[in-house]
Amino acid sequence: MVVDGRAPDPREARSTPEFIALLRLLKDASGLTFRELSQRAEAVGDVLPRSTIANMLGRTSVPREELLAAFVRACGCGPEQVADWLAVRKELAVHGERAGTAEASGAAPEATAGYSSEPPTVPLPEPAPARRRRPRTVVAAAVALVVLAAAAVTVTLLVRDDDDRPESRRVTGPVAGGTVQIRSVHSGFCLSEKRGSDSGRLYQVPCEQETIPSFSLKPLDGDAWRIVTDHPDYDLGCTGVWDGMRDAGAGLQDQECGKRGDAEEFLIESVGRPVEGYRIRPAHTRLCVGAEGNSEERGAELVQTSCDGADRGSLFSFDPVAEGTAGG
């Protein structure tokens, strides 16, 4: 917890997921962006790229010691706090879990109230809620989407024949309203989060399996679109670029709408005549969405990347999903 502007105590973590959640809470409490954290680290001789921070906060294993130390220092923690974080990290790396909290371990009472014993170097403001969206059980009523009629452009596309990819697929353009699977023309896989993860990161998975969340498209002013999500655990949200980052390589993430400005608005452009697929371009950078490294592998993460020479790796189809069906 963060109370009265003080940092979360890493000794509260009993497992690696709890440890990573406390790191996210520390970042939120600092009130600093990824860019500001990177700049603060550089000012004291640490190396802490913004993309590395994003990867660390979305991982399922403890970070490297030097990365963890640089991050907590940049968040405003003093030497004793850094030592606490490193000690807990070492214990989790060796044993995978911890027996109990700081209070159970016999720490002094003044250090067991959910904070480190030393206040951070920089006062930390009250954090945003740790969850990326409100759970479905808290939502009083579903938000209705405006469904507009639009024509879908479809053509036949030949795709390499292998175990996961049929010989031909139809490329379908964006249509307002209605559930779609967003399919990579390059790999034949569909966008999905990992079941059980709360990071909101998007990966490519076989379209035939159940993909989460469900996606639909909402037109905005001009030529922009919003990719609206409906998650079984986190309710309605929007797809956007992680923390509004502008760098190539920044991951796509589903989160509560309105957190990232135009980093959760997209331009959707057709490519080829006849249409070979559609580029998805974040409005704040005009880069392209694609699998990391133009990968055709199952499980590759979706990121914003350069559009140059990458058409085959950054083209998508918006395949309508019949109501009540899972997968493709």
Side-chain angles (χ1 to χ4, degrees), residues 15 58 73 78 139 148 165 200 250 267 274 290 309 312 315:
S15 65
R73 276 194 291 264
V139 180
L148 303 176
R165 305 176 184 92
L267 304 176
R312 293 294 299 172
L315 297 183

Side-chain angles (χ1 to χ4, degrees), residues 81-104:
Q81 288 178 298
V82 174
D84 286 341
W85 284 98
L86 290 175
V88 174
R89 180 244 172 238
K90 183 176 181 180
E91 190 174 350
L92 290 171
V94 173
H95 302 292
E97 60 182 15
R98 302 178 67 241
T101 62
E103 183 175 359

Side-chain angles (χ1 to χ4, degrees), residues 55-68:
N55 289 333
M56 179 185 71
L57 297 180
R59 66 189 300 153
T60 57
S61 58
V62 292
R64 301 188 312 273
E65 287 188 3
E66 64 272 19
L67 172 59
L68 175 63

Side-chain angles (χ1 to χ4, degrees), residues 110-132:
E110 62 267 24
T112 62
Y115 331 105
S116 294
S117 56
E118 176 183 341
T121 305
V122 178
L124 302 179
E126 190 70 19
R131 283 197 177 108
R132 57 183 182 152

Side-chain angles (χ1 to χ4, degrees), residues 29-249:
S30 75
L32 300 170
T33 65
F34 288 175
R35 180 186 297 275
E36 289 167 336
L37 288 169
S38 183
Q39 290 172 341
R40 284 167 65 98
E42 184 178 358
V44 297
D46 288 329
V47 177
L48 191 66
R50 285 171 285 169
S51 58
T52 302
I53 302 172
N55 289 333
M56 179 185 71
L57 297 180
R59 66 189 300 153
T60 57
S61 58
V62 292
R64 301 188 312 273
E65 287 188 3
E66 64 272 19
L67 172 59
L68 175 63
F71 174 76
V72 297
R73 276 194 291 264
C75 286
C77 293
E80 289 186 18
Q81 288 178 298
V82 174
D84 286 341
W85 284 98
L86 290 175
V88 174
R89 180 244 172 238
K90 183 176 181 180
E91 190 174 350
L92 290 171
V94 173
H95 302 292
E97 60 182 15
R98 302 178 67 241
T101 62
E103 183 175 359
S105 66
E110 62 267 24
T112 62
Y115 331 105
S116 294
S117 56
E118 176 183 341
T121 305
V122 178
L124 302 179
E126 190 70 19
R131 283 197 177 108
R132 57 183 182 152
R133 299 183 215 126
R134 293 176 296 172
R136 180 175 295 277
T137 54
V138 180
V139 180
V143 180
L145 294 175
V146 178
V147 179
L148 303 176
V153 179
T154 63
V155 298
T156 298
L157 175 72
L158 296 180
V159 181
R160 191 175 63 196
D161 182 20
D162 60 26
D163 291 341
D164 288 312
R165 305 176 184 92
E167 291 186 6
S168 64
R169 300 293 293 264
R170 294 170 65 83
V171 175
T172 308
V175 177
T179 302
V180 296
Q181 283 187 311
I182 304 176
R183 174 172 54 83
S184 167
V185 172
H186 180 57
S187 68
F189 291 128
C190 285
L191 273 61
S192 178
E193 295 182 32
K194 290 183 177 178
R195 176 67 70 177
S197 170
D198 64 356
S199 71
R201 288 175 175 270
L202 289 172
Y203 304 85
Q204 57 184 19
V205 304
C207 299
E208 291 72 24
Q209 74 180 51
E210 183 182 9
T211 54
I212 57 170
S214 62
F215 296 97
S216 60
L217 299 172
K218 179 181 179 180
L220 303 174
D221 292 339
D223 298 325
W225 295 78
R226 177 165 285 162
I227 302 176
V228 180
T229 62
D230 191 358
H231 194 284
D233 298 322
Y234 297 102
D235 204 69
L236 296 176
C238 288
T239 297
V241 177
W242 183 288
D243 206 42
M245 293 175 66
R246 306 187 66 86
D247 311 64

